[in-house]
Amino acid sequence: MRLFVEEKVNGRSTGKKHYLAKLASTKKELAELLGKKEFYIDDEKYFVSQVKAEKSQDGAALGMALGGVLGLFGGVPGVLAGGAFGGLLGKDSDIKEVEKVEKFNGSRL
């Protein structure tokens, strides 16, 4: 999961994202980590309430690729089995990450 705010220039949104180097499960936890409810990036003031979360990667695809590579040692059946197993593990990871993103985005201060 990655936390970000939408970039502002002179108070207007540019559509770009500024990613935070912090990780928290809720907005309240993020405010506690920062020590306050507001922060600055490039002289623009942002509020913790403006922070959003998004998935950081596609775990299923990564799991399939890694499982397939590891399966190379078992030949074609190993690649297929490794890819399937890796895909299942990655899918579970994706589901958990979506739950974390939804928890953060649904949280309040």
Side-chain angles (χ1 to χ4, degrees):
M1 178 174 79
R2 299 187 303 177
L3 302 179
F4 70 93
V5 289
E6 292 182 13
E7 179 184 66
K8 294 187 302 185
V9 176
N10 298 322
R12 302 184 95 180
S13 179
T14 66
K16 294 181 182 178
K17 297 176 182 178
H18 279 296
Y19 291 96
L20 281 63
K22 302 280 184 193
L23 192 57
S25 59
T26 64
K27 291 178 182 178
K28 182 177 181 181
E29 184 181 325
L30 180 60
E32 290 170 3
L33 280 172
L34 296 172
K36 51 190 168 185
K37 295 179 182 179
E38 70 273 343
F39 56 96
Y40 288 85
I41 299 175
D42 297 333
D43 296 324
E44 289 287 341
K45 186 176 187 178
Y46 296 91
F47 296 91
V48 170
S49 61
Q50 296 172 302
V51 177
K52 298 176 186 173
E54 68 181 10
K55 280 180 52 180
S56 58
Q57 62 185 6
D58 186 7
L62 182 62
M64 286 178 69
L66 183 59
V69 169
L70 293 175
L72 285 174
F73 298 109
V76 173
V79 170
L80 295 175
F85 183 68
L88 290 174
L89 289 177
K91 183 178 179 185
D92 184 53
S93 174
D94 281 348
I95 290 169
K96 288 178 182 176
E97 186 167 16
V98 166
E99 289 172 355
K100 289 178 183 178
V101 166
E102 289 173 353
K103 179 182 177 183
F104 184 89
N105 288 336
S107 69
R108 297 175 189 232
L109 287 172

